[in-house]
Amino acid sequence: MQSNGHDQTAAVRDTIYRAALALDDQRWQDWLELCAPNFHYKITSFSPEINKDMIYLQGSRKEMDSLVRMLPKHNTDHSPLHRHTSVYTIDVSEDGKSAQAVSSVVFYQNMLDGNNSHIESGETRLFLAGRYVDTFAIEDGAAKFVDREVKLDNRRLDKGSHWPL
Amino acid sequence: MPARNHTQWSANPPLETGEWVDSRIYSEQEIFEEENEKIFKHVWVPVCHESELPKPYDFRTTTIAREPIVICRGPDNEVRAFLNVCPHRGMLIERRPSGSFLEGQPSGNPKRITCMFHAWQFDMKGNCVYVAREKEGYQDRLCKENVGLRRLRCEVKFGGFVWVNLDDNPAQTVEEWCGEPFECLRESLNAEPLEVFHYHKAIVDTNYKLWHDTNSEFYHDFMHYHNRITGFNDAYFARKNFAYDNGHVVVGTFEVNYENYEGFESRAELSFPHLPPNQWYMVDLFPGFNFNLRGSALRCDIVTPLGPNKVMIEFRGLGLKRDTPEERMTRINHHNSIWGPFGRNLHEDLIGVAGQGATMGPGTEPRHILHGRHENETIHDEIGMRHYYGTWGQWMNRLPSEPDKPYTATAVAAE
C-alpha cells in the first residue's frame, strides 16, 4: 500500500527484521528504540494440558527496559539465541498510520555455557518455535512496535531464558 | 587447604555420617530402577489439579514410574484414576494430554473411554461396557465383567490437587501421608476453590533428587539476585526449617520485600486467604513434590524421573478461581516475574541443577555431596536434605553416604 509516497509494508518489514537482528545481537536498547513509548510485549502459549491461554512474560516498554538493564545482576545461560523470521502478512490500516503483521519465527540456541561447554558448546539446537504477532504505529515513513505478542507453540521450555524473544 | 590429590579428594569429609551423600545415588541406573519400584510405586503423587478437569467426562493423562495413567471426572463429579492401558492388547487408551470423553471418538461412542485399536469401551468408573464382537470371539469364556480397567487409588486433597497412588494398599491416606506439613497452608488452600493458570515443563539432564534438593535448601539464594535483594535481612536468616514424618520438610515464612527489586511490586493486595501480606511458605514433600506459596501465587512442582540423569519437572501456577480478570493478570505477573520460564529465578535454578547433572552422569566417580550446614535449623541449615535422605535410606534400604551398604538408623544420626 502506498501513502504519502511511502511504502508502509516495507517499513513494517524493515522494523521486524531490524528487531530480529538487534535481539539476536543482544542490542537490547537498539531493539527498544524500535518500540513506541506505549509499547507492550508479551510471550504467550496455549496449553492443551490445562486448556488455557497462558502468558509467560509481559511488560511495558519501561518494564522491558528495566528487565534488560538488570540482566548483568543475574546468572544466565549465555548460549546465544538466533531467530529465523519470515514475515507472512502485513495489513496496513486505511489511514496508513498503523499496521498489523504476522511472522513465523524459529529460535535456535547456539550452545555455550548452559551445561557442559566442552561437549555442547558450538552446537546449535532448536530452542523454540512460534509466531510474532505485531502491531505498529507508522509515522513519517517509519514503523514502530506498539505491541508484540510472541505466540509460542512450546510448553516444554527446559531452562527457559532471561532474554526477550 | 590447597587443591587435593585423588586420595584426599575421595576421603570422607570431616563431618558426621548423614551430613553428606555419595553421588552415585544420583547417577546409578540400578538405584534409579529401585527407586521406581520401592518409592514411586508406593507414594502419593499429586498428578494434577482438579481445575484441569472441571466438568464431568473431562480427563487428564499422566505417568508415574513409567505407568501411564488417565484421570477422569465422572458424571457423579468424582475424580477417578485408572491405568491408561487397554486390558485387551496393552494399547495406550487415551493419547491426548487432556480433553473430554463427552464427545465420541472415531472408534467409540460419547461418554466412553475408548481404545481406538479394537474399539473396547469403558465408562467413567472403569467398567468395560463394550467389547466389539464379544460373543463371536469369546463365546462365554470371557465377558465385559472380566476386563475392566485397572483402577488406582485417587484422592482430591489440599486445595484440589489430585493425588494418585499405584499401590492398591498404601500404608497411609493422603492426609496421613502429608497432612502435618500441609498444616501451615491448609486454611489458605482450602478456603475457596483454586485454579491452575500456568503450566510448562522442563526436561533436564539431572537427577530428580537434585531438583528437590534445590527446592529444599535456601543456601543457594546467593545465586538469586532477586532473593538477595528482596530477602536477605534478619527475618530471612531466622526463617526456620521444619522436618516432618515421611521425609517432608516445611520452610517457615517471613515477609518478602518485593519492591526492593526494580520494577517489581508488593503482593500484599492479593494475598491468598488467611495468609499475611507478602509471606512465603514452602512445603517439600518426599520424594519430589513442592508447593510454594509466595503471597499471591501458588507454585507446584511435580517431578517425573525419566532416568538416573534425566527428570521431567512440571510447573504449575495457581490462583483463586473467583479472581477477576484484573486480579488474575496480576497473579500471573507476580508468578511469572520469578517463576515463569522467562522469570528471574527459575532459569537460575535450572542452570544450577543442570550443572550438577553435568558432573554426576552415569559412570562418573563417586563424590561426596555435602549436606552438613548447621545453623540452628534456620534457612541456610541443610537439615531439609539430611531429613530427606534419612527417609530415602529407609525406603531404599541403602545408606545414602555408602549406597552399597544397607540402611541403619545409627549411621544416619546427624539429622
Side-chain angles (χ1 to χ4, degrees):
Chain A
M1 177 181 287
Q2 300 290 320
S3 175
N4 299 326
H6 294 289
D7 185 339
Q8 288 97 336
T9 59
V12 165
R13 192 174 285 110
D14 183 69
T15 298
I16 292 170
Y17 288 137
R18 285 184 187 281
L21 287 171
L23 289 164
D24 279 3
D25 297 342
Q26 298 172 27
R27 292 183 282 111
W28 312 119
Q29 293 306 323
D30 288 352
W31 169 57
L32 290 169
E33 286 299 314
L34 298 168
C35 304
N38 61 338
F39 173 65
H40 186 262
Y41 173 87
K42 63 181 174 183
I43 302 172
T44 65
S45 186
F46 172 75
S47 167
E49 292 81 10
I50 63 170
N51 197 27
K52 288 251 185 327
D53 285 310
M54 301 180 296
I55 296 173
Y56 281 152
L57 179 75
Q58 68 176 338
S60 64
R61 190 186 191 284
K62 182 183 176 190
E63 287 164 336
M64 297 311 294
D65 177 68
S66 174
L67 185 143
V68 296
R69 279 190 298 98
M70 300 287 273
L71 283 172
K73 296 182 180 295
H74 285 275
N75 291 292
T76 294
D77 181 338
H78 297 93
S79 304
L81 300 180
H82 288 274
R83 294 146 188 77
H84 182 89
T85 309
S86 296
V87 178
Y88 280 178
T89 60
I90 301 173
D91 295 308
V92 180
S93 64
E94 286 296 320
D95 62 8
K97 293 180 178 176
S98 64
Q100 291 192 314
V102 177
S103 308
S104 176
V105 60
V106 177
F107 300 86
Y108 296 98
Q109 188 174 39
N110 188 249
M111 305 305 290
L112 182 63
D113 61 358
N115 292 317
N116 185 337
S117 60
H118 178 226
I119 295 168
E120 297 180 356
S121 65
E123 174 187 338
T124 295
R125 295 179 180 171
L126 179 62
F127 184 55
L128 298 168
R131 286 181 178 171
Y132 284 137
V133 179
D134 298 323
T135 304
F136 296 88
I138 302 171
E139 190 176 334
D140 298 331
K144 290 214 167 189
F145 290 100
V146 292
D147 190 89
R148 161 157 281 187
E149 179 178 1
V150 188
K151 297 183 76 160
L152 295 180
D153 298 333
N154 311 67
R155 285 93 61 206
R156 176 182 163 183
L157 293 123
D158 292 352
K159 290 199 299 292
S161 177
H162 271 161
W163 298 333
L165 297 176
Chain B
M1 188 182 199
R4 297 169 289 172
N5 63 28
H6 183 261
T7 302
Q8 294 166 324
W9 168 260
S10 305
N12 286 346
L15 298 170
E16 298 292 322
T17 306
E19 295 181 337
W20 77 87
V21 299
D22 184 312
S23 64
R24 284 177 294 173
I25 70 170
Y26 302 120
S27 62
E28 297 277 308
Q29 185 73 33
E30 179 187 342
I31 290 176
F32 166 72
E33 298 293 346
E34 211 173 291
E35 286 174 317
N36 267 338
E37 289 301 318
K38 291 184 173 178
I39 298 176
F40 282 91
K41 289 187 178 179
H42 301 281
V43 296
W44 289 101
V45 177
V47 294
C48 66
H49 188 262
E50 66 169 348
S51 65
E52 295 167 49
L53 44 165
K55 299 187 295 292
Y57 300 99
D58 284 351
F59 71 85
R60 283 284 278 125
T61 54
T62 187
T63 308
I64 301 174
R66 298 195 180 104
E67 300 292 352
I69 293 164
V70 59
I71 301 116
C72 61
R73 188 183 288 275
D76 56 359
N77 220 29
E78 284 293 310
V79 175
R80 297 180 178 86
F82 308 99
L83 275 192
N84 188 11
V85 177
C86 182
H88 176 216
R89 290 190 62 210
M91 168 73 175
L92 186 74
I93 299 177
E94 182 50 61
R95 293 167 294 144
R96 295 168 289 175
S98 76
S100 172
F101 293 122
L102 204 53
E103 295 179 5
Q105 293 293 302
S107 296
N109 295 323
K111 301 182 179 179
R112 298 288 180 249
I113 303 170
T114 300
C115 178
M116 60 161 273
F117 213 167
H118 302 91
W120 286 30
Q121 296 178 34
F122 308 88
D123 67 17
M124 298 301 119
K125 292 183 176 178
N127 300 306
C128 181
V129 294
Y130 178 74
V131 171
R133 292 177 60 77
E134 179 182 352
K135 284 286 181 189
E136 289 85 343
Y138 295 109
Q139 298 83 42
D140 295 321
R141 296 172 298 127
L142 178 144
C143 63
K144 290 187 282 294
E145 286 70 28
N146 302 129
V147 289
L149 296 180
R150 162 83 157 86
R151 61 125 174 86
L152 301 173
R153 296 289 176 193
C154 179
E155 292 187 31
V156 178
K157 193 80 181 168
F158 301 124
F161 285 91
V162 179
W163 303 74
V164 171
N165 197 321
L166 291 178
D167 190 334
D168 270 354
N169 300 296
Q172 295 176 301
T173 63
V174 178
E175 177 64 40
E176 292 164 343
W177 170 250
C178 59
E180 286 192 359
F182 264 116
E183 207 53 54
C184 64
L185 294 180
R186 191 184 294 266
E187 273 194 310
S188 294
L189 300 187
N190 290 342
E192 54 183 289
L194 308 182
E195 187 172 65
V196 173
F197 58 69
H198 174 97
Y199 178 88
H200 85 277
K201 65 177 84 169
I203 296 181
V204 187
D205 290 336
T206 199
N207 186 274
Y208 78 92
K209 296 188 291 298
L210 292 165
W211 182 251
H212 195 66
D213 291 350
T214 297
N215 274 334
S216 302
E217 61 90 359
F218 283 66
Y219 191 36
H220 78 270
D221 274 342
F222 285 101
M223 174 168 72
H224 297 311
Y225 172 72
H226 173 273
N227 287 11
R228 295 200 311 271
I229 200 74
T230 63
F232 276 13
N233 56 32
D234 290 345
Y236 168 90
F237 286 106
R239 198 178 175 196
K240 280 270 189 179
N241 292 288
F242 303 94
Y244 291 90
D245 287 350
N246 297 322
H248 310 318
V249 173
V250 167
V251 185
T253 186
F254 81 115
E255 186 171 353
V256 182
N257 300 301
Y258 291 103
E259 60 279 9
N260 285 358
Y261 188 99
E262 183 184 315
F264 286 11
E265 64 184 16
S266 167
R267 301 177 173 198
E269 286 184 18
L270 279 179
S271 290
F272 263 50
H274 306 288
L275 190 73
N278 291 316
Q279 297 294 302
W280 175 18
Y281 275 106
M282 181 92 110
V283 176
D284 292 301
L285 298 187
F286 181 88
F289 315 116
N290 172 260
F291 298 81
N292 197 340
L293 181 56
R294 269 182 178 265
S296 55
L298 175 68
R299 165 181 155 192
C300 174
D301 297 4
I302 299 169
V303 300
T304 301
L306 302 177
N309 203 38
K310 191 179 285 289
V311 61
M312 177 172 76
I313 313 162
E314 292 175 283
F315 300 98
R316 284 172 170 80
L318 296 97
L320 304 182
K321 190 175 180 182
R322 66 158 168 83
D323 283 341
T324 65
E326 293 75 20
E327 288 171 337
R328 179 59 58 86
M329 194 59 71
T330 302
R331 285 193 207 280
I332 290 171
N333 289 339
H334 288 171
H335 170 277
N336 288 342
S337 64
I338 50 175
W339 290 339
F342 303 95
R344 302 303 93 180
N345 281 14
L346 189 68
H347 181 59
E348 294 174 331
D349 283 328
L350 287 161
I351 293 171
V353 81
Q356 289 178 294
T359 76
M360 293 185 225
T364 52
E365 68 170 9
R367 305 198 176 106
H368 298 104
I369 308 301
L370 307 184
H371 299 155
R373 293 184 61 83
H374 287 268
E375 291 191 54
N376 195 29
E377 301 181 0
T378 54
I379 191 75
H380 289 182
D381 190 312
E382 291 170 336
I383 182 178
M385 291 188 290
R386 291 193 296 277
H387 181 63
Y388 175 97
Y389 286 101
T391 301
W392 183 90
Q394 292 175 48
W395 279 78
M396 294 289 286
N397 192 26
R398 289 178 183 268
L399 202 55
S401 57
E402 295 178 86
D404 294 333
K405 292 184 177 176
Y407 174 84
T408 56
T410 52
V412 189
E415 183 189 308

